[in-house]
Amino acid sequence: MPMDAGNNGKQRPQDKFDLLAKEQGYRSRAAFKLLQLDTLFRLLPTARAVLDLCAAPGGWVQVAVSRAAPGAFVVGVDLAPIRPIRGALSLKEDITASARCGAAVRRLMDSRGVSSFEVVLHDGVGRKKKRGNPSVCGGTSASAAQEATTTQSALVMDAVRLATMFLAPNGTFITKFFRCKDYKAIMFCLKQLFERVHLSRPVASWSTPAEIYVICLRYKAPANIQPELLDLKQLHLLSVDAEKSKRQESTEFWKTGLASDFIWSEAQTPLEFLGSFLTISFDDPASLPIKNHELTTDEIKQLCEYLFVLRENGYNHLLE
C-alpha cells in the first residue's frame, strides 16, 4: 500500500492519482502536481536543462523529460537510487551535504558542456529518522546525523542553496513547502532572489499536512549572496528586521482581511473577499462578536487562518 510522505509514513488508501499514475506509466502520483504547475506557468517547454532535487522515485523527472525542450539535459538527484529513465541522468547524492552534492552536479554538468539550469525542482519531504531508515532525500551526512529530525523548512533551504549554485539568470525554482512558522522567513529569502514568487496548490496535493508549492520566477542571479540569507536561523532575524523597517513588505504575499469586512462589507461579495486575502483576522474590535459567536467554531477559525491553502469545499464551508 502506498505511503503518504506528508503524513509521517502512515498508510493511506489509494486515490485516483495513484491509479492514474499506474495507468499512464508515472512512477509516482506526484507527477500530476508538476503537470498542473507546468500547465499553469509553462516553465518546461523552453528549458534546455532541468535539475530535480529529491527526485526519487522519478515521477517529476519523467515529466521533465516529456515536457522540456527536445534533447534537454535532465538530472535527478536523490540519496535513494533512481531507476534509469530514458532521456535523463541521475546522481545518488545527499542534498543536505550541499558542497559535496554541488560538486557532483557540477562534474556532471561539465562532462556534458552545460553551464547552468533553466529550471530547478524540489519536491522532497523532511521526516523523522528511524534506525536504519534515513530521511527522504537527505540524512546520512555527518551534520544531518546530529539532528533528531530533518525538517521540511531545512530541506527547502538546502534546495534553495543548491539552486543558487546552478540556476541561470531569469531561471525558475519550484519547491514544495508545508505551512509552518518558517513561512514568512523563507518567503522573504525567495523574494530577495527572484523577481516574482507565486503560491499554488495542485489538485493532487495532500490536505494533511497542507502542501503549498512555491513557484519562483526570474532568478536575479546576484553576484554575492549574504550567507545569512541562506541560513534559516539568521533568516528569521533578517525577515523580522525587514518587517519592522518596512511593514508593507509582507503585504504583497500575506494579505490579511478582517472578519467584520467579510460579513458586513458591501465593497466586495463574500466570494470576492475570499479571493483577495490569504488569511482572515478576528483581531479588530468589530470582529470580536464574530469570533465569540457560537457558530464560529475552532474549525472555522482554522479555515480563516489558512485561507491560502483552502480548496473549493473549504471556501463553501466559510460561505455557508
Side-chain angles (χ1 to χ4, degrees):
M1 183 176 291
M3 306 294 284
D4 178 354
N7 197 25
N8 297 322
K10 294 181 181 179
Q11 290 185 332
R12 59 169 178 80
Q14 287 188 337
D15 66 5
K16 66 178 182 179
F17 294 105
D18 292 300
L19 300 177
L20 283 171
K22 290 182 180 180
E23 291 175 2
Q24 299 184 26
Y26 289 116
R27 294 185 180 181
S28 68
R29 66 190 303 287
F32 293 99
K33 302 175 189 178
L34 183 57
L35 286 168
Q36 183 180 349
L37 292 173
D38 188 52
T39 298
L40 289 172
F41 294 95
R42 303 297 296 167
L43 307 170
L44 291 172
T46 59
R48 294 166 296 176
V50 180
L51 176 64
D52 185 10
L53 302 172
C54 297
W60 277 31
V61 173
Q62 290 175 296
V63 174
V65 169
S66 66
R67 292 216 171 187
F73 178 65
V74 179
V75 179
V77 178
D78 203 294
L79 189 58
I82 303 171
R83 288 185 291 111
I85 296 173
R86 184 182 297 274
L89 299 171
S90 66
L91 289 171
K92 187 176 183 294
E93 294 290 342
D94 180 355
I95 77 163
T96 68
S98 57
R100 175 178 169 175
C101 181
V105 174
R106 178 59 67 186
R107 285 194 297 271
L108 185 58
M109 294 169 67
D110 290 344
S111 72
R112 300 303 177 99
V114 175
S115 60
S116 60
F117 290 94
E118 282 89 7
V119 177
V120 174
L121 307 170
H122 173 247
D123 192 35
V125 179
R127 68 170 55 161
K128 294 181 179 179
K129 295 194 241 337
K130 299 178 182 178
R131 184 174 298 177
N133 180 26
S135 63
V136 172
C137 184
T140 60
S141 66
S143 60
Q146 296 173 3
E147 300 289 338
T149 60
T150 300
T151 66
Q152 178 70 14
S153 298
L155 202 60
V156 168
M157 291 308 300
D158 289 325
V160 171
R161 192 174 297 109
L162 286 167
T164 63
M165 296 180 186
F166 302 120
L167 260 183
N170 294 314
T172 298
F173 174 62
I174 298 177
T175 184
K176 172 160 61 185
F177 188 51
F178 296 155
R179 63 191 187 200
C180 68
K181 62 182 178 59
D182 299 317
Y183 173 83
K184 287 188 178 181
I186 290 179
M187 290 298 288
F188 173 82
C189 167
L190 296 174
K191 287 191 291 180
Q192 310 311 304
L193 297 173
F194 295 87
E195 295 287 350
R196 294 164 56 197
V197 180
H198 300 275
L199 302 177
S200 187
R201 184 170 170 75
V203 293
S205 298
W206 296 115
S207 58
T208 305
E211 293 180 341
I212 309 165
Y213 283 83
V214 188
I215 299 87
C216 308
L217 306 176
R218 300 186 63 185
Y219 179 52
K220 298 177 183 179
N224 295 295
I225 300 175
Q226 60 185 117
E228 293 82 2
L229 197 61
L230 301 177
D231 182 293
L232 191 55
K233 291 182 180 179
Q234 297 299 320
L235 186 56
H236 275 281
L237 299 177
L238 286 177
S239 63
V240 169
D241 288 343
E243 189 170 355
K244 287 180 179 178
S245 63
K246 193 176 181 182
R247 291 287 181 180
Q248 64 267 32
E249 185 73 27
S250 64
T251 60
E252 181 180 355
F253 294 102
W254 196 263
K255 295 181 179 180
T256 299
L258 299 176
S260 55
D261 288 338
F262 176 57
I263 299 297
W264 294 305
S265 175
E266 296 181 358
Q268 293 177 298
T269 67
L271 184 59
E272 289 172 340
F273 183 95
L274 293 178
S276 302
F277 298 97
L278 296 178
T279 185
I280 296 176
S281 169
F282 296 90
D283 292 340
D284 69 306
S287 297
L288 289 180
I290 303 171
K291 181 179 182 180
N292 297 326
H293 195 279
E294 61 180 5
L295 293 180
T296 307
T297 62
D298 289 341
E299 180 186 8
I300 291 293
K301 292 174 184 176
Q302 187 174 37
L303 290 175
C304 289
E305 182 179 0
Y306 297 115
L307 193 62
F308 63 102
V309 296
L310 295 188
R311 295 180 180 176
E312 183 178 354
N313 59 345
Y315 280 137
N316 289 339
H317 194 21
L318 285 176
L319 291 171
E320 289 171 3

